[in-house]
Each structure stands twice: as structure tokens, then as C-alpha cells.
């Protein structure tokens, strides 16, 4: 009887979500890709151009990655077989970590099953302050950007800090951060600041140079200093002249940088890069690394091949092509009369629609015409800021973009958006 009641509560919650039209479980199933140079998905037998993927460089279909994955799996098996410290560490994992550290100009790197798992463990391990069995004891203040990704929020939640030890600075506002630091400098031994590099709703990025100046200014005002953690999942292998992301765009570095291998790198998994001492400490304390499998050897080999491609002249051309695609799409949509929800130079371009029903209709009709985009509605964005999030890839051709703009404009006119 009691379990029946429990399941009824679950059912009611699902019904509430469906009623609010925010369900996530009715996603399209990709059955195949058609294999042309700018691969289109086959969904329910229909050919669909994907304009909402994080595969920013188109690397998930690159032959070198597929071959590397195939070769490693053939030799080493399809799964890691154990967690890293038991018998799940392969040479290919270490090779990938060394390449990631070199890519970001850091001492060392650690690979996790996902960036979500990376954030949970890195953040918890570096901020847990009051636990009696903690490796790090001390009085830590955590300050987060108000629009940080869910994985950061959950990492902070795990640490179960007192409410006055977890504060929020205004989105993208280094002055707001500075004010919080100045009013708290007597109260804490150390500070950990955490932010997304690129924010995925609008494609805006945190100005790390401005943040770095604030961090450096306050570093000696706290007994154990101020640490800056940046999660740049949407920045790495997506923008910056050589694909180094927000650090490259804004010309300043984080103390601890988290990235994903599952977006621009075209593989899967997450990682952190930092000074040797931080990585050594994390290998001893990060629960989702110690007690959970890493990526398979095949995935590690694909990610490793991805880094080689990105570092090559071919990869640099892909990055340039992606940047050109961003400019092309923006120019063409602007010429048609569309407005953007933010000024973004990132492959995430949020087209401002401002009306929930129209945003949903536009997404639906785009799908019927063979294009996948994402509608982002209130309450995820403020009322009147409903948007269509378009994500570009280096694999989009000029023809793909032109066809996209034509379909988008036709529907936009029909719905009286432009
Ligand atoms: C900012 C940010 N952090 C972390 C993640 C999680 O990445 P992963 O899919 O590798 O867990 C995402 C993915 O959406 C993200 O956008």
C-alpha cells in the first residue's frame, strides 16, 4: 500500500512536468547518419540536419577518431573492466591525460566518465571544509556565478556548506564578485570561485581576465588564498583561435579547468587539468574517479586522436570554418530580420522569439522541414525571452546554412516573428 502511494506521487510529478510542457523523455531517436561530408541524421526515415548538437567541430564522424576507437577496442576490449586504481588504467588513458595537460599548458590531467562526474568530485573535494574525515580541513567560502551549470550547483550542494559559506555573484559580473570578496575577507581561510566558461543558454562567456584580476587582488587577503575553477565544457574545442576555449578568448587562465570530451572533442568523458599537486590530491579524493569506471579504452583512444586532429592544420581549418559559419548564420538571420537574445561569438546562437507558443511551433515546423533546433522557454529563460538555440558545427556547409536560414525565415514569417 505505501509503495503504491509512493508510485502515485511519482506519477503525479511526471504529470505535472508533462502539463507544463517541459518533458524531456520524448526525444527523437537517431537511427543512422547518411554519411555525406556534412552528415545528416536519419530519424523516423527522414533526413534531418542537426542544428542543436555540441559536436562543434564535426569530429564525432572523423575517420581518425573512429579508427582509433576501433583499433583500441579490438586490442584492449570494449570496457575498462575496473575503476582506474584497480585494473582499469590503460596506457591510452595516461596518454590522453598527458595530451590534455599539454593542450591546456598544465602539469597534469585526470579523465572521468563525464564532465558532470568531474564537476561533482572536483568541486566537492576542493571545498569540503568541515567534515572531520576531510583531507582538506579549513574554513572555505564558495562563490558561484548565478547561472552556473547544474553539475556545478550539485557539486557545491554535496559539500553541504552553511548558507553564509556559499554565495552567488551576479552573472558575468566581476564587480559583484569583488564586492563579495571585500565583505568576507575576515571571515574565511580560503575562497573557491566557480564559473562556467561558456554559458550554454546564450553562448555568452565569462571574461576570465576580469575575474582573474579580482582573484589575484584578493588572493593574499585570505589565509589560504583564492582559487578559480572554470568549467569550460562548451568552450574547449569550440572556440578560441586554436580551440582552447574561454581561456584563449579572454586571455587568462583558471587555476583548475574542467572540460568535456563529449562535445567539441567528438568523443565522450570529462576531464580536469591543473597543477600537479591538485591532480595528485584529486586522484586520492575524487569519489567519481576512485569509485566509478572511467571511459573505455576505445573512447580514450578516440579522444586522444581528436586532440591530434585539433592540433593539426586540418583541425585549425575546422576551427576557422566553424568561426566563419557563426558569422554567416548571424549575418543571414539578421538580414532576414531576426534578433538574437545575446551577442555571442560562440557557435551557440540564441535567436530571440519572445513567445512560448511561437517558439514551440517554430521548432516543430523546422523539424517537419528537416532541421533540428532547440526551443528554450520560460521558466528556463525569463518571461518574454523565449529563444531558439541554434548550434553550429564546422561540418555545416554553406548550403546547409543557406537551407537552414531559408526554412527558418519562411516559418518565422508565417508565425509573424519577422
Ligand atoms: C557547462 C557544462 N558542464 C558540464 C556538462 C556535462 O558534460 P558531460 O556531458 O560530459 O557530463 C555540460 C553539458 O551539458 C555543460 O554544459
Amino acid at each position: 500500500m505505501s509503495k503504491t502511494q509512493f508510485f502515485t506521487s511519482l506519477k503525479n510529478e511526471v504529470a505535472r512536468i508533462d502539463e507544463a510542457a517541459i518533458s524531456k523523455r520524448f526525444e527523437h531517436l537517431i537511427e543512422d547518419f547518411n554519411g555525406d561530408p556534412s552528415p545528416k541524421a536519419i530519424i523516423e526515415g527522414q533526413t534531418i540536419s542537426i542544428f542543436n548538437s555540441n559536436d562543434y567541430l564535426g569530429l564525432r564522424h572523423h575517420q581518425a577518431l573512429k579508427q582509433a576507437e576501433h583499433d583500441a577496442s579490438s586490442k584492449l576490449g570494449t570496457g575498462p573492466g575496473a575503476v582506474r586504481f584497480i585494473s582499469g588504467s590503460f596506457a591510452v588513458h595516461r596518454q590522453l591525460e598527458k595530451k590534455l595537460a599539454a593542450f591546456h599548458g598544465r602539469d597534469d590531467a585526470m579523465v572521468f566518465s563525464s564532465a558532470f562526474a568531474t564537476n561533482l568530485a572536483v568541486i566537492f573535494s576542493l571545498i569540503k571544509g568541515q567534515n572531520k574525515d576531510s583531507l582538506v580541513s579549513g574554513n572555505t567560502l564558495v562563490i558561484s556565478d548565478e547561472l552556473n551549470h547544474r553539475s556545478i550547483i550539485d557539486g557545491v550542494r554535496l559539500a553541504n556548506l552553511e548558507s553564509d559559506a556559499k554565495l552567488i555573484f551576479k552573472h558575468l559580473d566581476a564587480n559583484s564578485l569583488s564586492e563579495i570578496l571585500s565583505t568576507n575577507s575576515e571571515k574565511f581561510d580560503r575562497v573557491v570561485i566557480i564559473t562556467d566558461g561558456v554559458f550554454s543558454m546564450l553562448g555568452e562567456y565569462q571574461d576570465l581576465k576580469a575575474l582573474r584580476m579580482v582573484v589575484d587582488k584578493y588572493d593574499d587577503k585570505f589565509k589560504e588564498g583564492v582559487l578559480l575553477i572554470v568549467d569550460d565544457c562548451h568552450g574547449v574545442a569550440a572556440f578560441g583561435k586554436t580551440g582552447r576555449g574561454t581561456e584563449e578568448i579572454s586571455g587568462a587562465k583558471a587555476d583548475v579547468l574542467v572540460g568535456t570530451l563529449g562535445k567539441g572533442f567528438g568523443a565522450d568523458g570529462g576531464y580536469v587539468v591543473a597543477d600537479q599537486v591538485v591532480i595528485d590530491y584529486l586522484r586520492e579524493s575524487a569519489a567519481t574517479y576512485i569509485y566509478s569506471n572511467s571511459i573505455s579504452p576505445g573512447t580514450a583512444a578516440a579522444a586522444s586522436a581528436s586532440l591530434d586532429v585539433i592540433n593539426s592544420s586540418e583541425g585549425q581549418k575546422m576551427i576557422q570554418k566553424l568561426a566563419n559559419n557563426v558569422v554567416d548564420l548571424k549575418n543571414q538571420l539578421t538580414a532576414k530580420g531576426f534578433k538574437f537574445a545575446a551577442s555571442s561569438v560562440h557557435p551557440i546562437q540564441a535567436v530571440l522569439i519572445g513567445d512560448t507558443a511561437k517558439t514551440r511551433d517554430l521548432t516543430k515546423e523546422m523539424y517537419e522541414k528537416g532541421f533540428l533546433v532547440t526551443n528554450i522557454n520560460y521558466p528556463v529563460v525569463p518571461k518574454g525571452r523565449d529563444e531558439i538555440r541554434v548550434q553550429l558545427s564546422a561540418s555545416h556547409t554553406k548550403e546547409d546554412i543557406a537551407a537552414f536560414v531559408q526554412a527558418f525565415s519562411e516559418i518565422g514569417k508565417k508565425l509573424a516573428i519577422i
Side-chain angles (χ1 to χ4, degrees):
M1 176 62 192
S2 57
K3 194 163 64 184
T4 310
Q5 190 51 46
F6 185 10
F7 283 7
T8 302
S9 304
L10 303 185
K11 200 171 156 195
N12 291 343
E13 178 59 4
V14 172
R16 182 193 66 77
I17 290 166
D18 290 347
E19 182 71 18
I22 50 170
S23 335
K24 299 206 167 34
R25 67 188 192 286
F26 303 112
E27 70 274 17
H28 297 292
L29 298 182
I30 297 174
E31 293 139 16
D32 202 353
F33 279 96
N34 69 359
D36 78 16
S38 71
K40 314 279 183 296
I42 309 298
I43 301 174
E44 293 161 346
Q46 200 190 338
T47 304
I48 304 284
S49 279
I50 298 190
F51 276 80
N52 65 354
S53 124
N54 305 314
D55 181 20
Y56 295 117
L57 296 177
L59 280 168
R60 67 177 154 159
H61 293 290
H62 196 286
Q63 194 49 35
L65 275 71
K66 290 183 190 176
Q67 192 63 50
E69 183 176 53
H70 173 82
D71 292 349
S73 300
S74 304
K75 219 162 53 171
L76 304 168
T78 49
V83 298
R84 289 287 297 273
F85 85 101
I86 308 275
S87 56
S89 276
F90 291 70
V92 70
H93 288 119
R94 273 310 283 148
Q95 190 189 31
L96 171 60
E97 288 172 343
K98 285 190 180 141
K99 281 190 191 174
L100 284 165
F103 184 74
H104 290 294
R106 305 302 211 283
D107 294 346
D108 204 356
M110 249 168 103
V111 170
F112 292 70
S113 59
S114 70
F116 205 110
T118 313
N119 272 337
L120 289 184
V122 167
I123 294 168
F124 177 76
S125 295
L126 291 173
I127 69 177
K128 64 180 179 179
Q130 314 292 356
N131 305 0
K132 64 177 177 358
D133 56 352
S134 164
L135 285 177
V136 176
S137 60
N139 195 10
T140 308
L141 168 64
V142 176
I143 316 177
S144 312
D145 183 286
E146 67 182 318
L147 294 188
N148 275 347
H149 188 259
R150 174 65 183 263
S151 54
I152 298 179
I153 295 169
D154 282 4
V156 175
R157 275 185 190 145
L158 269 181
N160 204 18
L161 298 172
E162 299 293 332
S163 56
D164 65 348
K166 43 182 181 187
L167 303 176
I168 305 284
F169 68 97
K170 283 193 203 135
H171 183 47
L172 303 178
D173 187 343
N175 290 332
S176 161
L177 174 65
S178 184
E179 275 165 32
I180 294 175
L181 284 163
S182 80
T183 50
N184 284 279
S185 56
E186 301 292 305
K187 302 183 204 154
F188 294 90
D189 294 339
R190 69 165 85 94
V191 182
V192 175
I193 295 164
I194 317 176
T195 180
D196 285 22
V198 171
F199 291 81
S200 62
M201 290 298 116
L202 295 169
E204 311 153 301
Y205 65 90
Q206 188 75 258
D207 178 357
L208 294 185
K209 203 172 214 165
L211 239 56
R212 186 82 250 172
M213 277 167 66
V214 174
V215 169
D216 291 348
K217 177 174 164 200
Y218 285 93
D219 193 45
D220 63 2
K221 309 275 188 298
F222 293 83
K223 204 169 84 191
E224 294 186 28
V226 181
L227 185 86
L228 177 61
I229 305 180
V230 175
D231 166 1
D232 203 21
C233 280
H234 283 278
V236 293
F239 83 158
K241 198 163 179 296
T242 65
R244 265 75 173 170
T246 305
E247 290 191 337
E248 189 169 20
I249 288 272
S250 53
K253 282 194 161 179
D255 297 307
V256 176
L257 179 72
V258 171
T260 183
L261 300 165
K263 301 191 196 292
F265 285 107
D268 205 8
Y271 65 92
V272 57
V273 293
D275 289 1
Q276 194 62 56
V277 62
V278 176
I279 298 297
D280 286 347
Y281 165 70
L282 289 172
R283 279 197 213 277
E284 300 300 338
S285 61
T288 58
Y289 176 90
I290 297 172
Y291 303 109
S292 177
N293 274 0
S294 188
I295 50 178
S296 69
T299 305
S304 191
S306 172
L307 278 154
D308 294 343
V309 173
I310 290 175
N311 283 329
S312 70
S313 59
E314 182 195 1
Q316 297 307 299
K317 279 191 200 134
M318 289 171 161
I319 293 165
Q320 191 51 54
K321 179 157 180 245
L322 175 57
N324 294 344
N325 281 351
V326 170
V327 173
D328 265 6
L329 181 93
K330 276 169 74 164
N331 287 345
Q332 290 187 42
L333 286 181
T334 305
K336 295 284 185 192
F338 286 102
K339 303 245 174 322
F340 292 88
S343 152
S344 158
V345 293
H346 186 271
I348 293 174
Q349 291 295 321
V351 184
L352 182 64
I353 309 297
D355 177 282
T356 304
K358 284 184 184 180
T359 312
R360 291 198 178 122
D361 289 349
L362 184 50
T363 307
K364 192 165 153 278
E365 293 197 28
M366 280 301 278
Y367 179 68
E368 283 158 12
K369 282 186 184 277
F371 299 91
L372 263 184
V373 290
T374 308
N375 54 300
I376 300 183
N377 298 110
Y378 174 81
V380 177
V381 288
K383 256 205 164 79
R385 302 296 294 175
D386 302 78
E387 61 168 83
I388 298 281
R389 186 174 63 179
V390 182
Q391 288 173 280
L392 286 152
S393 169
S395 69
H396 290 136
T397 60
K398 281 203 171 307
E399 293 72 35
D400 291 335
I401 294 176
F404 177 89
V405 171
Q406 191 182 337
F408 204 75
S409 309
E410 277 170 21
I411 303 166
K413 267 197 198 119
K414 193 178 123 194
L415 296 174
I417 294 165
I418 51 172

